């Protein structure tokens, strides 16, 4: 924990630093008893929030009780236990659909700090899940995200094989990209909207509790409410216009949403609602939504990425679908006008990367198939369709026709007659894959990577759903690149100049616990002939840094509450200490020793006492403060394992 102050006002910063102090009388430390859990909690998944400082956690509960998410920095946990200062976020939710029973809950975690490891759990004081962990990274600069096409768990008819392929893709992709920051869905998480066994298999990868999932609704997800129950999303407009039925209260899931993650504005659409004849607002409603979001928030990001399920430029079974031909006309010109950079799609269970498309046509007739670098110019948009990430279903590439080489047409590419006019790359090997997008200040790098081979787990191949598999392990192993393209931004006729500004150079006062903030275990107290117990130890050192030009004074003090073991207690006044300067610097001086109340009848550390300080005009620098602890307790104190918390206060001007 750290505080800083560069202003002239005097500030008092209090932090429960979790220098947990524990002492045992007559035995070792014992584990606290846990209350019985009245609710079964399941289906925990971490989702994206509105920005980098947020996450949304969603789960199922067997009971309709008040629940919450509890969060703490991982370093603050002591023996796996959450500290008293852990923050909680209240959950909301409702009863599930009748076929699944139970209830759903979700809570939004806010106020996250960058470059911090966190642990969280869900439930209540009546019972918690296990602790799960995630780590934030820098909130500025480059990052990678992963895009997964249609897991569609259950599609092969063999749930176990579909789950195995999906779990393997998640394992492979995150082993290769452990620092990926978000996982983006192409839709169709499951085969049948309300089949909870399929959702259980989709949620099987443990990483979905640690890496935020950015959900997308597919045509196999839309037919029930389980999608919304399992995958709560931020900034979601649940107006009837964004539901194909025209109502959010019906049996379907839906809604459009957006979020900003670092330099990317993501907008996610329910492409199942595309025609007003269905009851919803159709494509026009989505285009209005995208326009409004980009007008309001486009200036907050360098890149604009759209995500929806139904691919409008794809090479396989759905390439000639009537609804996609309509969207190919409705969407393309507007996306070009709005400066969209990348569109991520699913649905067609094959991989494709489009040429740069502008206003429904190839932006540059000279762009070559498979070009490694593309330069959009004003209005050029790259469309990517992902293949199956689970191996549950593949669609074979289909042939062009004579319907034209722009707009809604599916004609042949003049540069490669075997492909559709709009696709630079088309691929189907009947092997699992995923897409990695590297977000850089001056480019987007899009790669399609193999997460499997013809071998198991590959349900569609194993079960004979497809008659061939075109992959050679030696030449095309797991992790090999199917396709890679770098998108360079358009700079117009001028020259853009960029500079990265780092965090401000130190010019502040602050403190932190040195190294691991572990439990300060005073061990088993020594019995002195029944008169008193005594135990000694040392606090975890405190590092103080001060680089302010004002050379203003500072001080660090601390105190404890009562030592407690269930219903048993004794006063913190019996704890004393002798402060010391472990490493000199920043003008640090050790405060006076404080005796135990057992010796002097005083208040010991039950009131805040000085640990160290520095005068006005001290040298800038860093110091390390410590203290030796002396605990003396009357012999009448009952046997037990007692614990308290040392609360540290920093004062600076």
């Amino acid at each position: 924990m750290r505080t800083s102050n560069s202003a002239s006002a005097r500030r008092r910063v209090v932090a429960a630093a979790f220098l947990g102090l524990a002492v045992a009388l007559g035995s070792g430390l014992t584990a606290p008893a846990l209350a019985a859990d009245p609710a079964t909690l399941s289906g925990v998944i971490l989702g994206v929030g509105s920005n980098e400082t947020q996450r949304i956690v969603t789960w199922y509960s067997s009971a309709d009780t008040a629940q919450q998410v509890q969060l703490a920095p991982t370093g603050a946990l002591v023996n796996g236990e959450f500290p008293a200062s852990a923050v909680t976020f209240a959950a909301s939710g409702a009863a599930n659909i009748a076929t699944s029973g139970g209830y759903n809950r979700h809570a939004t975690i806010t106020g996250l700090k960058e470059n911090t490891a966190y642990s969280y759990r869900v439930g209540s004081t009546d019972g918690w899940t296990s602790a799960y962990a995630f780590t934030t990274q820098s909130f500025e600069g480059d990052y990678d995200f992963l895009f997964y096409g249609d897991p569609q768990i259950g599609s092969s008819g063999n749930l176990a094989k579909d789950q195995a392929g999906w779990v393997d893709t998640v394992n492979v992709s995150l082993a290769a990209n452990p620092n990926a920051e978000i996982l983006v869905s192409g839709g169709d998480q499951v085969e049948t909207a309300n089949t909870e066994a399929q959702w259980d298999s989709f949620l099987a990868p443990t990483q979905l509790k640690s890496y935020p999932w950015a959900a997308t609704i597919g045509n196999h997800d839309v037919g029930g409410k389980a999608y919304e129950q399992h995958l709560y999303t931020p900034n979601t407009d649940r107006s009837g216009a964004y539901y194909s039925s025209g109502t959010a209260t019906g049996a379907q899931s839906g809604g459009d949403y957006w979020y900003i993650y670092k330099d990317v504005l993501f907008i996610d659409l329910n492409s199942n609602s595309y025609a007003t004849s269905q009851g919803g607002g159709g494509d026009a409603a989505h285009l209005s939504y995208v326009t409004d979001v980009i007008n309001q928030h486009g200036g907050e990001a360098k890149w604009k990425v759209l995500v929806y399920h139904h691919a409008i430029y794809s090479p396989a079974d759905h390439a000639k679908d009537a609804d996609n031909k309509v969207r190919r006309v409705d969407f393309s010109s507007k996306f070009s006008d709005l400066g969209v950079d990348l569109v991520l799609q699913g649905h067609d269970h094959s991989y494709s990367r489009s040429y740069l498309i502008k206003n429904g046509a190839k932006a540059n007739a000279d762009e070559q198939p498979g070009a490694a670098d593309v330069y959009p110019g004003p209005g050029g948009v790259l469309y990517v369709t992902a293949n199956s990430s689970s191996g549950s279903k593949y669609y074979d590439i289909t042939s062009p026709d004579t319907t034209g080489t722009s707009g809604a047409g599916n004609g042949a590419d003049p540069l490669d007659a075997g492909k559709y006019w709009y696709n630079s790359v088309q691929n189907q090997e009947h092997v699992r894959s995923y897409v990695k997008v590297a977000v850089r200040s001056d480019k987007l790098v899009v790669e399609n990577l193999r997460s499997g081979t013809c071998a198991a787990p590959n349900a569609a191949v194993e079960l004979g759903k497809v008659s061939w598999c075109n992959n050679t392990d030696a030449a095309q192993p797991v992790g090999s690149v199917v396709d890679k393209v770098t998108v360079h931004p358009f700079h117009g006729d001028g020259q853009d100049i960029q500079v990265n500004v780092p965090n401000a150079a130190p010019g502040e006062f602050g403190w932190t616990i040195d190294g691991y903030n572990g439990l300060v275990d005073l061990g088993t107290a020594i019995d002195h002939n029944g008169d008193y117990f005594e135990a000694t130890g040392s606090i975890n050192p405190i590092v103080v840094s001060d680089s302010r030009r004002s050379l203003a004074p500072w001080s660090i003090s601390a105190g404890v509450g009562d030592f407690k073991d269930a219903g048993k207690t004794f006063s913190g006044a019996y704890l004393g200490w002798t402060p010391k300067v472990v490493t000199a610097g920043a003008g640090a001086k050790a405060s006076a020793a404080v005796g135990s109340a057992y010796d002097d009848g005083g208040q010991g550390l039950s009131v805040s006492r000085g640990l160290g300080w520095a005068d006005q005009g001290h040298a800038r620098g860093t110091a390390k403060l410590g203290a030796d602890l002396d605990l003396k307790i009357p012999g009448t104190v009952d046997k037990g394992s007692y614990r308290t918390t040392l609360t540290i206060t920093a004062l600076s001007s």
Side-chain angles (χ1 to χ4, degrees):
M1 303 182 69
R2 186 172 182 273
T3 65
S4 64
N5 178 22
S6 57
S8 59
R10 183 170 177 81
R11 293 187 179 181
R12 181 174 185 269
V13 182
V14 181
F18 312 111
L19 292 180
L21 305 175
V23 61
L25 300 182
S27 66
L29 292 176
T30 59
L34 296 178
D37 185 358
T40 300
L41 307 176
S42 61
V44 177
I45 182 169
L46 188 68
V48 293
S50 294
N51 55 44
E52 314 84 28
T53 71
Q54 298 184 3
R55 301 288 187 271
I56 296 176
V57 184
T58 312
W59 67 96
Y60 269 17
S61 171
S62 63
D64 190 14
T65 59
Q67 296 170 25
Q68 56 197 2
V69 171
Q70 189 173 52
L71 177 81
T74 299
L77 271 64
V78 178
N79 295 328
E81 296 181 12
F82 280 69
S85 66
V87 294
T88 57
F89 302 91
S92 57
N96 284 338
I97 53 172
T99 54
S100 63
Y103 304 85
N104 59 83
R105 293 288 184 267
H106 66 269
T108 301
I109 296 171
T110 61
L112 296 172
K113 305 299 183 184
E114 61 183 348
N115 300 311
T116 303
Y118 287 99
S119 292
Y120 73 96
R121 59 185 181 178
V122 306
S124 68
T125 54
D126 291 330
W128 298 98
T129 63
S130 300
Y132 310 112
F134 65 89
T135 301
T136 61
Q137 300 183 42
S138 172
F139 290 168
E140 299 287 343
D142 299 344
Y143 75 102
D144 300 336
F145 69 86
L146 306 180
F147 176 59
Y148 300 90
D150 304 49
Q152 205 167 326
I153 304 298
S155 179
S156 76
N158 187 308
L159 196 62
K161 290 184 182 295
D162 291 352
Q163 176 180 322
W166 169 232
V167 169
D168 193 57
T169 287
V170 175
N171 288 341
V172 165
S173 60
L174 288 174
N177 304 280
N179 293 321
E181 299 195 30
I182 55 176
L183 311 180
V184 179
S185 164
D188 277 1
Q189 276 79 192
V190 296
E191 167 73 8
T192 309
N194 285 337
T195 300
E196 287 300 330
Q198 295 175 6
W199 282 102
D200 290 343
S201 289
F202 166 73
L203 293 168
T206 58
Q207 297 93 329
L208 296 184
K209 297 176 177 63
S210 299
Y211 290 82
W213 181 254
T216 299
I217 188 168
N219 58 298
H220 286 266
D221 304 314
V222 75
K225 286 296 186 185
Y227 170 88
E228 291 182 2
Q229 293 166 187
H230 279 294
L231 304 170
Y232 199 82
T233 51
N235 300 322
T236 305
D237 191 329
R238 301 191 188 279
S239 303
Y242 309 114
Y243 285 74
S244 57
S245 63
T247 175
T249 59
Q252 295 183 341
S253 292
D256 289 358
Y257 76 97
W258 65 273
Y259 60 99
I260 293 177
Y261 196 89
K262 293 165 88 160
D263 284 335
V264 180
L265 169 62
F266 290 90
I267 305 175
D268 200 289
L269 307 177
N270 173 23
S271 58
N272 297 284
S273 176
Y274 65 89
T276 55
S277 59
Q278 299 171 293
D283 288 348
H286 296 307
L287 291 175
S288 178
Y289 181 83
V290 172
T291 301
D292 288 346
V293 171
I294 289 179
N295 285 342
Q296 294 175 33
H297 302 286
E300 301 170 30
K302 293 179 180 177
W303 304 97
K304 304 176 187 70
V305 175
L306 299 187
V307 187
Y308 53 79
H309 182 62
H310 294 78
I312 64 174
Y313 296 112
S314 66
D317 282 21
H318 292 300
K320 301 177 185 180
D321 285 358
D323 57 320
N324 281 335
K325 289 186 177 184
V326 171
R327 275 184 285 249
R328 205 176 297 162
V329 175
D330 288 350
F331 283 179
S332 180
S333 293
K334 193 63 175 179
F335 293 170
S336 294
D337 293 343
L338 291 170
V340 172
D341 298 291
L342 175 65
V343 178
L344 300 174
Q345 311 160 116
H347 193 50
D348 216 11
H349 296 252
S350 54
Y351 173 76
S352 66
R353 180 244 293 187
S354 76
Y355 291 110
L356 292 173
I357 304 296
K358 179 179 180 180
N359 299 332
K362 188 175 178 182
N364 178 4
D366 294 329
E367 182 185 338
Q368 295 298 300
D373 295 87
V374 294
Y375 302 83
V381 182
L382 185 73
Y383 294 78
V384 172
T385 304
N387 202 347
S388 171
S389 56
S390 68
S392 66
K393 180 193 288 186
Y394 303 105
Y395 289 142
D396 290 336
I397 291 174
T398 54
S399 299
D401 54 31
T402 59
T403 56
T405 55
S406 64
N410 286 95
D413 180 4
L415 301 178
D416 184 348
K419 294 194 290 79
Y420 290 102
W421 67 266
Y422 43 75
N423 279 337
S424 174
V425 176
Q426 301 178 167
N427 178 269
Q428 182 57 279
E429 300 171 3
H430 295 162
V431 299
R432 294 177 283 114
S433 66
Y434 66 97
V435 174
K436 173 184 176 181
V437 180
V439 180
R440 304 294 180 259
S441 60
D442 62 338
K443 59 191 173 186
L444 295 176
V445 183
V446 181
E447 293 181 85
N448 183 236
L449 299 154
R450 296 176 180 90
S451 56
T453 64
C454 292
N458 195 348
V461 173
E462 293 178 73
L463 299 171
K465 303 293 183 179
V466 293
S467 60
W468 56 270
C469 184
N470 183 20
N471 175 270
T472 303
D473 291 4
Q476 300 163 314
V478 171
S480 58
V481 177
V482 176
D483 178 43
K484 180 176 181 180
V485 62
T486 299
V487 182
H488 299 271
F490 177 68
H491 298 292
D493 295 329
Q495 296 185 29
D496 291 346
I497 298 175
Q498 175 175 304
V499 61
N500 293 324
V501 179
N503 290 331
E508 56 187 24
F509 169 76
W511 65 268
T512 185
I513 296 170
D514 183 46
Y516 172 66
N517 183 18
L519 176 71
V520 178
D521 189 353
L522 302 182
T524 300
I526 298 173
D527 181 5
H528 288 267
N529 299 319
D531 294 331
Y532 66 93
F533 295 101
E534 184 174 26
T536 59
S538 298
I539 68 169
N540 296 321
I542 306 297
V543 175
V544 178
S545 61
D546 193 355
S547 56
R548 297 170 297 169
R549 295 185 179 182
S550 65
L551 307 180
W554 60 263
S555 65
I556 301 288
S557 56
V560 299
D562 290 344
F563 283 79
K564 296 180 180 179
D565 177 14
K568 297 176 291 185
T569 183
F570 64 81
S571 174
Y574 291 114
L575 180 67
W577 71 2
T578 302
K580 57 188 176 182
V581 176
V582 178
T583 303
K589 300 177 183 179
S591 297
V594 176
S596 166
Y598 185 85
D599 291 327
D600 61 15
Q603 295 178 294
L605 292 183
S606 67
V607 296
S608 186
R609 303 288 192 171
L611 175 64
W613 55 281
D615 288 320
Q616 172 68 43
H618 64 80
R620 290 190 290 269
T622 300
K624 186 183 295 185
L625 303 176
D628 295 325
L629 300 171
D630 181 24
L631 180 69
K632 288 185 179 179
I633 316 163
T636 56
V637 172
D638 292 334
K639 174 183 176 180
S641 297
Y642 295 83
R643 183 173 292 185
T644 189
T645 298
L646 183 71
T647 301
I648 299 171
T649 302
L651 294 176
S652 63
S653 298

